[in-house]
Each structure stands twice: as structure tokens, then as C-alpha cells.
Amino acid sequence: MSNRIQYIQFYGLLLIFLWTTSAQLQAQGCSDAGFCTMGAMKPDQHFNQKVRLRLRSVELSHYLGVTKFDNLILAYTVDFNMGFNDKTNLQVKLPYQYAQGRLGSNHGIGDVSLSFSYNLVNKEKFQINATLGTKIPTGNPNVQSESGRPLPMYYQNTLGTYDLIAGISLISRNWLIATGYQRALNSVNNQFLWGEWAGSENFIWAEHYPRSRKLFRGDDFMLRVEYNLRFSRINFNTGLLAIYRPTQDKMTMGERTINVDGSDGLALTYLVGMGFRFNTRSAIKVGAGFRLIRRAQNPDGLSREFVNTIGYVFNF
């Protein structure tokens, strides 16, 4: 089969996939401040018994999300990976985000993700990899509206926290099983309260958002189970992503610290994706997800009702 025919087939599949997901999918996405796409916990990892030395790659991705409050979230992310040797890999992610809603808009550089991954076991039929990383805030998550009122976390480009992240995964030719842990090390310097919008024409919309004044996020545990089907150029993947928060978030009301009811519990998402490899150096991939279970409250602003992603990967 000629390369031209293969490209035509791929673009046909891509258009069908994007039209289907854009029209039908209701997804929550990660809802975990991003650690489910770091290092050993990333989706759609290719198993190769012979680990290539000093493999480097850059992925450029476009993200579109819509919240239950009708916020539009756009993010453009640079994901850089560099292998130092046959066991150790560095990943750096830097997003640029735009958020718009009834209360205003905001855009800017998002939090930096930094992680190191190490290949613990490399067998003929499977690999075990571990990751240790962090997220570094790039600003203050207290951007205000044009009227000078604090915006909810759904509008903020940064979470404003230093996070500790750890994870481990098992990869075979067809399966990826990964688990991880994320802990925020400080509170969020956001000042959003309903009372700040009293007297505003947008107060009716502001009171729909969860309050997040000096928010402290609870810990997150994740489990990803993914099945991959790979051909010479095209691959498909599907699976489940579970994020469990055992403790409730906390926020400050006056002089009191209170728990945010409904901010703990399970968020479960069904994921589906596909990719196409143009050659040994470049590939493109798309993905989306169906929300199955979500937490009642997400004061950190990470919940999504719709999400769609597309990325281009270049190896060098």
C-alpha cells in the first residue's frame, strides 16, 4: 500500500473521530492538576523491549474543554522528553492557557510540570517504570475581573501550589497499568467568595461557582488501566482513569477553616484515543473521554464537562 493511500485512510479516520467526539463526548478529563499525564503515568505509551538511548521528543498539543458553568478552556502545551541513558528520562511540560466565561476572561502561562522517570524492570514481555516529580506555580491564582472582583479557580491559569508527585507503571505490548499519588504542599492564594460579587449584575452567575478562598486541595490517588492495539502506522487505545481524593478540600471563611463538602471521593473517566505515525520521527494523536463518575464539588476548577485533545509528536 502506498504512503499516499495510507495518509488518505488516516485523515479519513481522524475526521470521523474528531467529529464523533466533538458532537457526543461528555468528559471530565484528568481533574487531578495534570499528574496523570506525567512520566510513567502518561497514556498511550509504546512498549519496546530495546529502550533507545538518549531518545528525545517534543509534543505540541491543543486542548479544548468546557465546564458545567459554560467556561471555555483552551490550552496549548509543550511537552519535552529527554533520555539521559537507557533507564532515566526527564519530562518538562509548559502550558499556555486561555479561560473565558460569564464572569470574565484570563490567559497566561500555566504551571510547570517536571518529572524524572526510571526504568526499574525491562523484560521481554513487560517493563516497570517509576516517576518522581513536581509541579511549580508560575503566578498567583487570584486574577480579578474587569470590575476588580476575584475570579473563581475555573478562570485561573495557575493552581498556585507546589505539588509532590510519584507514580509507577507496568507496560506490555497491549496493556498499560499505572498508579500515582499527588500532594499539594501549600494552600491556594485565591480570594473568591460569593459576597465579593454582591451588588454586581453577575452575582447570579458568581454564586454558582464553588467558593475557593485560601483553598487547600486534598491528596489525589490515580489508577489508569489502558488497552492498546497497534498496527504498523495506526494505533488505538481505550481504558479507564480513576482519581480518588480521600480527604475533603479545605478553605478559609473569616477566621475559620472549613471542609468543602463533596470535594472528596471518586472521579472516573472512560478514555479513548488513536494515533498515526507518519515515520520514525513524527506522529499525531487525538483523544477524548466519557465521564462516568464525578465529585459533587471541584473548588480547584479542574472539572470538565467536555474535553478534546490533539497532539503532534516529533522525535529527534
Side-chain angles (χ1 to χ4, degrees):
M1 182 182 294
S2 67
N3 289 338
R4 179 177 297 179
I5 294 176
Q6 289 180 327
Y7 290 154
I8 292 174
Q9 287 181 335
F10 166 71
Y11 285 119
L13 288 170
L14 177 60
L15 288 174
I16 293 173
F17 184 86
L18 288 176
W19 179 83
T20 302
T21 55
S22 296
Q24 300 178 7
L25 290 186
Q26 298 295 311
Q28 182 158 345
C30 243
S31 291
D32 67 320
F35 80 127
C36 65
T37 59
M38 291 179 65
M41 297 164 284
K42 290 181 64 174
D44 191 20
Q45 297 185 49
H46 181 64
F47 172 72
N48 188 347
Q49 182 189 3
K50 297 180 180 179
V51 180
R52 294 180 59 186
L53 299 180
R54 302 187 184 278
L55 176 65
R56 297 181 297 271
S57 70
V58 173
E59 178 177 346
L60 306 176
S61 64
H62 164 78
Y63 168 93
L64 168 66
V66 178
T67 75
K68 66 179 181 180
F69 308 108
D70 292 331
N71 296 80
L72 175 67
I73 311 294
L74 297 174
Y76 301 89
T77 303
V78 178
D79 185 342
F80 175 74
N81 290 268
M82 181 176 68
F84 293 105
N85 49 49
D86 61 347
K87 287 184 174 292
T88 307
N89 183 76
L90 167 69
Q91 180 194 36
V92 181
K93 291 196 304 177
L94 180 62
Y96 188 92
Q97 181 170 301
Y98 172 82
Q100 183 180 22
R102 299 180 186 273
L103 301 184
S105 63
N106 184 29
H107 62 89
I109 296 175
D111 295 337
V112 178
S113 298
L114 176 66
S115 67
F116 289 91
S117 297
Y118 185 78
N119 176 236
L120 299 173
V121 178
N122 186 26
K123 298 293 185 179
E124 181 179 353
K125 295 185 177 181
F126 69 92
Q127 293 175 356
I128 297 177
N129 301 310
T131 292
L132 184 64
T134 185
K135 292 200 71 176
I136 303 171
T138 55
N140 183 8
N142 195 36
V143 173
Q144 299 181 346
S145 67
E146 292 183 356
S147 61
R149 294 177 169 89
L151 288 168
M153 287 299 296
Y154 283 84
Y155 292 82
Q156 307 298 330
N157 298 318
T158 175
L159 287 175
T161 60
Y162 292 88
D163 293 0
L164 175 65
I165 296 164
I168 191 168
S169 66
L170 183 148
I171 307 171
S172 68
R173 178 176 176 82
N174 297 115
W175 289 96
L176 165 63
I177 301 174
T179 185
Y181 168 76
Q182 178 166 345
R183 180 179 179 83
L185 302 179
N186 60 286
S187 62
V188 176
N189 186 29
N190 183 267
Q191 300 295 322
F192 175 72
L193 291 173
W194 298 330
E196 298 289 339
W197 287 80
S200 166
E201 61 181 6
N202 287 323
F203 176 73
I204 189 174
W205 303 113
E207 64 180 351
H208 284 80
Y209 289 89
R211 297 167 296 180
S212 51
R213 185 174 186 270
K214 295 185 178 180
L215 181 72
F216 193 93
R217 301 192 333 264
D219 298 350
D220 281 329
F221 294 89
M222 66 146 285
L223 176 65
R224 179 191 297 279
V225 179
E226 176 184 283
Y227 180 77
N228 285 277
L229 186 61
R230 299 186 182 276
F231 302 96
S232 59
R233 288 183 179 270
I234 298 176
N235 72 281
F236 301 90
N237 61 81
T238 183
L240 293 172
L241 175 66
I243 309 293
Y244 182 70
R245 186 168 291 181
T247 58
Q248 295 178 338
D249 299 346
K250 299 179 184 296
M251 60 167 290
T252 301
M253 291 289 293
E255 300 298 323
R256 298 182 300 121
T257 299
I258 64 173
N259 293 332
V260 181
D261 293 337
S263 60
D264 57 340
L266 177 68
L268 181 65
T269 305
Y270 170 69
L271 302 173
V272 61
M274 65 174 292
F276 182 82
R277 183 169 55 84
F278 296 106
N279 48 52
T280 57
R281 287 186 174 271
S282 62
I284 192 170
K285 55 186 180 180
V286 294
F290 294 92
R291 182 191 63 217
L292 302 179
I293 301 173
R294 72 173 179 182
R295 292 187 287 269
Q297 295 289 336
N298 292 273
D300 51 22
L302 296 173
S303 177
R304 302 288 181 266
E305 293 298 308
F306 169 87
V307 63
N308 206 335
T309 61
I310 181 169
Y312 174 77
V313 183
F314 180 73
N315 299 305
F316 61 97

